[in-house]
Amino acid sequence: MSEMTETTLLSVHDLSIDFFRSGAKLHALRHVDLEVRPGRIVGIVGESGCGKSTLASSLIGLLAGNAEIVSGSIEFEGQDLARLSTRQMRAVRGRRISMVFQDPMTALNPVVTIGRQMIDIQYREKRSSAEKRRIAAEMLRTVGIPDAESRLSAYPHQFSGGMRQRICIGMALLMEPALLIADEPTTALDATLEVQVIKLLKELQQQFGCAIVFVSHHLGTVAELCDEVVVMYAGEVVERGAVRDIFRKPSHPYTQALLECDPARIKTPTRELPTIPGTLPDLAHPPKGCIFRERCPKAFARCEVEAPADYAAEGAEHRARCHLLDGKARGTA
Amino acid sequence: MLIFVLRRLALSVAIVAIAVVLLNAMLHLVPGDPTVMILGPRATPELIERTREAMGLDRPFYIQTLTFFGNLLRGDMGVDVFTGRSVASIVFSQLPYTLTLIAASIVWSAALGIVIGCYSAFRRGSWIDLSAGVLSVSTISVPSFVMALYGLLIFAVGLRWFPAVGAGTGFWGQAHYLVLPAFAIGISWVGYIARVVRASMLEILGANHVRMARAFGLTERRIVFSYALKIAVLPAVTLIGTGVVHLFSAAVFAEVIFSRPGIGALIVNAVNERNYPIVLGCILVTTIVIVLATLVSDLVNAWLDPRIREAL
Ligand SMILES: Nc1ncnc2c1ncn2[C@@H]1O[C@H](COP(=O)(O)OP(=O)(O)OP(=O)(O)O)[C@@H](O)[C@H]1O
Ligand code: SF4
Ligand SMILES: [Mg+2]
């Protein structure tokens, strides 16, 4: 990773985050590494509870009050975000990094007009209100809201869910940030709207040139949108690489299992989504050895005693944490 | 919106009409003949009979009620049986005192309650939050007339900071006389409103849209004052609107304890004297004020929240 530091926009290194809950410490993120280069779209996938949102929130300094960054750094444009004060972080938020949330129905303030909200987020700019209003209307038009000018004085509940998510995306891009974090922005939408929103994100990304960290459950969407993929399991990054490599040559048994569960790959459609057998380990007491061991169909003796290192896998910058990739160990599998 | 107001006004008229019927019926069930009260125990039976005729008390109950409605439409609430003065003029001369008292009680308690509620929500678990919680619960459970009596004994009789009886003249004079009764009525509302605002503020500060506002780097001050507070006070406005009926009954006690003029003092005397027209007039006006207060609180909420506005 060090060889590409100059061209890196965001570089998360060895990030560990604990949550304090009823006296126990939940190790929600452990030694996470993440690289995002300017203008690239990086997908973060994993089952529910793997720490995707925790990672996404940490990037914009919006972790819950009971969270603590135990170790690691979040380098972004020459600053370590993990060490910024609230005040310093506020200077970055909304301007250099912005965020789109999962539920568009609750993300906008219900008693303030869309226009007011879009003008308020430009509070740092030295522009007249009329100018701010014009820019807001312009952005509404860009994200495909018809009749933008007059819709500025509408309230969020007067828009459909899909429209609201478009507005949220527009707001997030209004200040032309270098990095956009999208935490499951389409999960709350139905399939047709999801396709539209993804298409919009893709177009806008090309127009604005920002990098995107895109969190999703949906592998098809990730394959469609992203350049690179990071696979998380139980608070650890287990595999990462270019989208092509991850989908064609998944190297970690967890990624392989995820892909087998993907509805897009299943011949006979069913109502019930297939799931990986077993449950996530207790994050308060993560097991010794490989974190995926209890559910891994390929586990062997070494997996119980030794945590796998970050091995190189097939393809450029493709890496996975599985002993099977260790040349010396392959024979014993 | 206009339709909503008209519909609510129609409903108010219906409520008032029902109240009139019930009151007429109730007053007739109260023992004691009003003519005997007026004329004294030594009145002759003929005199009593003539007075009953003059007051229409000999006619059936429903005729009396209908007559009352008819007069009411002409703005006539009857005459005081003792002085012969018009009930409307007596009631409306006393109403401003009571409305001022209620308004003063609500304004100070709502302002303080909202501030304490917000502060407790921001500094959740701090000693200020905890003591505000304990104080709220204890003031809510003390009846307002007990507050009034203690207020009177300590600050008027004991310390002599405030006058004990009367209403005063001039703006500052009246304000001075208002302090103790408004304190007695408002104090439990401070606690109520603080609790309600604290709960809704806590909920809102955890809401997704507040998180989103933070993600845009908005300052906490702007988030609280121009984004969150409008939503947080909604339940408090409803609470006050529906609580005006309790404020009225608290005002009755306060007016009697502090010997203030007002609807409360008027109604207590009228009931003791079986002065039906005055009692009816007071209750009628009170009912109208209460019904209007709920309407006003709904309109305030509609003004604060566009979703409510559209539902109207
Ligand atoms: N505020 C919190 N306090 C305690 N534990 C938390 C808190 N937030 C998250 N967690 C825990 O941390 C772990 C990671 O949660 P996170 O929300 O990051 O998962 P996720 O991958 O985003 O899941 P999902 O797909 O359901 O959104 C989970 O076990 C969760 O229960
Ligand atoms: S290290 Fe072992 S347990 Fe872990 S994923 Fe690889 S084979 Fe499975
Ligand atoms: Mg999540």
Side-chain angles (χ1 to χ4, degrees):
Chain A
M1 116 200 64
S2 50
E3 71 271 20
M4 55 188 189
T5 323
E6 307 102 84
T7 57
T8 302
L9 174 69
L10 174 78
S11 167
V12 175
H13 182 63
D14 192 36
L15 184 66
S16 297
I17 293 175
D18 286 356
F19 284 115
F20 291 84
R21 184 155 59 190
S22 44
K25 261 192 200 176
L26 217 65
H27 307 292
L29 288 191
R30 291 182 313 283
H31 312 294
V32 166
D33 287 342
L34 174 73
E35 299 283 336
V36 180
R37 280 170 286 175
R40 302 297 291 258
I41 308 183
V42 178
I44 300 181
V45 295
E47 286 168 291
S48 186
C50 281
K52 305 183 297 292
S53 295
T54 306
L55 176 58
S57 309
S58 72
L59 303 181
I60 196 165
L62 281 179
L63 285 167
N66 60 339
E68 192 200 354
I69 298 184
V70 196
S71 75
S73 60
I74 307 171
E75 297 287 340
F76 174 80
E77 295 188 334
Q79 283 179 302
D80 181 2
L81 302 185
R83 262 154 208 78
L84 292 190
S85 68
T86 318
R87 203 191 179 82
Q88 290 166 318
M89 192 65 221
R90 201 161 56 226
V92 177
R93 284 183 197 154
R95 206 176 59 183
R96 301 307 300 153
I97 303 181
S98 62
M99 186 154 180
V100 176
F101 294 87
Q102 176 170 343
D103 185 6
M105 303 310 270
T106 56
L108 294 159
N109 187 297
V111 301
V112 181
T113 60
I114 296 297
R116 182 82 249 153
Q117 297 187 47
M118 294 184 82
I119 289 168
D120 279 353
I121 62 171
Q122 303 176 50
Y123 71 98
R124 285 172 282 227
E125 301 310 293
K126 288 185 177 53
R127 300 169 182 153
S128 70
S129 323
E131 177 72 359
K132 288 179 183 171
R133 205 178 165 78
R134 196 192 58 71
I135 289 173
E138 180 73 45
M139 182 50 91
L140 281 191
R141 228 169 285 129
T142 309
V143 296
I145 306 287
D147 207 7
E149 213 74 54
S150 66
R151 295 298 261 165
L152 280 179
S153 40
Y155 291 91
H157 70 274
Q158 295 163 329
F159 294 88
S160 66
M163 287 288 177
R164 286 192 222 184
Q165 197 60 299
R166 283 165 181 271
I167 294 169
C168 290
I169 292 170
M171 286 174 73
L173 293 175
L174 199 62
M175 307 308 296
E176 307 193 357
L179 176 65
L180 174 70
I181 301 160
D183 188 358
E184 308 204 31
T186 58
T187 307
L189 304 176
D190 67 42
T192 342
L193 289 173
E194 173 165 30
V195 172
Q196 289 175 13
V197 167
I198 295 300
K199 190 162 156 269
L200 177 74
L201 262 183
K202 210 167 183 168
E203 285 166 15
L204 292 175
Q205 194 273 334
Q206 264 147 33
Q207 186 178 337
F208 289 84
C210 60
I212 300 179
V213 169
F214 182 83
V215 177
S216 183
H217 273 122
H218 197 269
L219 291 171
T221 314
V222 170
E224 166 80 21
L225 182 71
C226 302
D227 304 312
E228 287 151 46
V229 183
V230 169
V231 182
M232 289 188 72
Y233 180 73
E236 289 181 13
V237 170
V238 293
E239 182 165 2
R240 58 203 168 113
V243 76
R244 208 178 332 100
D245 294 334
I246 297 285
F247 280 86
R248 295 222 186 112
K249 290 164 269 175
S251 302
H252 195 282
Y254 177 62
T255 315
Q256 292 159 1
L258 267 187
L259 285 170
E260 270 154 34
C261 293
D262 188 33
R265 297 205 167 192
I266 295 161
K267 305 287 182 301
T268 47
T270 48
R271 201 78 201 95
E272 300 283 304
L273 290 181
T275 46
I276 304 171
T279 51
L280 282 173
D282 178 10
L283 291 178
H285 310 281
K288 249 212 184 89
C290 173
I291 189 76
F292 188 54
R293 190 193 70 226
E294 286 158 4
R295 297 165 78 181
C296 181
K298 300 180 184 166
F300 56 102
R302 188 176 168 193
C303 310
E304 276 177 46
V305 286
E306 188 188 338
D310 204 9
Y311 299 107
E314 231 178 302
E317 289 164 19
H318 184 184
R319 307 186 80 84
R321 284 186 187 270
C322 173
H323 288 308
L324 293 176
L325 294 167
D326 186 359
K328 292 169 283 176
R330 269 192 197 145
T332 50
Chain B
M1 186 69 164
L2 185 66
I3 292 173
F4 166 78
V5 175
L6 290 177
R7 208 169 55 210
R8 284 295 295 269
L9 284 177
L11 186 67
S12 313
V13 171
I15 291 173
V16 171
I18 292 168
V20 167
V21 175
L22 288 179
L23 279 167
N24 266 307
M26 244 151 61
L27 281 181
H28 282 266
L29 295 176
V30 178
D33 188 335
T35 45
V36 177
M37 287 296 282
I38 302 161
L39 301 170
R42 275 173 299 165
T44 62
E46 296 121 57
L47 187 59
I48 290 179
E49 199 47 44
R50 254 188 295 139
T51 319
R52 283 180 65 90
E53 255 168 59
M55 289 175 67
L57 291 177
D58 56 338
R59 280 177 293 167
F61 166 69
Y62 72 91
I63 299 278
Q64 286 184 45
T65 310
L66 284 179
T67 319
F68 186 87
F69 272 122
N71 293 339
L72 196 61
L73 287 180
R74 279 176 275 126
D76 177 5
M77 289 196 265
V79 291
D80 180 343
V81 285
F82 298 108
T83 63
R85 283 174 60 203
S86 121
V87 170
S89 74
I90 294 177
V91 171
F92 284 112
S93 71
Q94 299 299 302
L95 185 62
Y97 291 105
T98 306
L99 290 185
T100 316
L101 178 58
I102 289 178
S105 312
I106 266 309
V107 167
W108 87 266
S109 58
L112 191 60
I114 289 171
V115 170
I116 293 177
C118 289
Y119 194 86
S120 305
F122 304 148
R123 300 267 181 284
R124 183 183 184 180
S126 68
W127 68 269
I128 292 192
D129 176 27
L130 297 177
S131 36
V134 172
L135 277 178
S136 301
V137 173
S138 38
T139 53
I140 289 170
S141 45
V142 178
S144 73
F145 65 86
V146 175
M147 283 290 177
L149 282 173
Y150 275 106
L152 183 78
L153 289 176
I154 297 169
F155 296 105
V157 178
L159 297 169
R160 298 189 169 278
W161 287 354
F162 298 100
V165 296
T169 51
F171 181 81
W172 291 114
Q174 289 201 22
H176 196 206
Y177 277 83
L178 264 178
V179 171
L180 281 184
F183 170 79
I185 298 174
I187 186 75
S188 62
W189 284 86
V190 176
Y192 259 129
I193 293 169
R195 291 283 91 187
V196 168
V197 170
R198 176 185 185 272
S200 58
M201 191 50 116
L202 275 181
E203 191 189 318
I204 293 155
L205 289 180
N208 283 341
H209 57 83
V210 166
R211 212 168 122 79
M212 166 137 157
R214 288 194 180 123
F216 279 108
L218 296 191
T219 58
E220 278 312 285
R221 178 187 297 253
R222 186 190 296 258
I223 291 175
V224 168
F225 290 105
S226 50
Y227 282 57
L229 194 55
K230 259 172 113 179
I231 311 174
V233 299
L234 292 175
V237 173
T238 309
L239 181 71
I240 294 171
T242 51
V244 168
V245 56
H246 301 291
L247 283 164
F248 253 104
S249 57
V252 171
F253 281 114
E255 282 169 1
V256 172
I257 290 168
F258 291 97
S259 306
R260 277 177 63 86
I263 295 283
L266 187 64
I267 204 169
V268 168
N269 282 332
V271 167
N272 286 338
E273 295 171 340
R274 299 286 183 280
N275 199 340
Y276 288 0
I278 298 277
V279 173
L280 268 178
C282 287
I283 295 187
L284 199 57
V285 168
T286 310
T287 312
I288 293 171
V289 171
I290 289 168
V291 171
L292 286 181
T294 357
L295 177 60
V296 168
S297 79
D298 284 351
L299 290 178
V300 169
N301 274 348
W303 170 66
L304 289 169
D305 188 337
R307 293 166 299 179
I308 300 176
R309 196 148 69 222
E310 268 174 26
L312 297 185

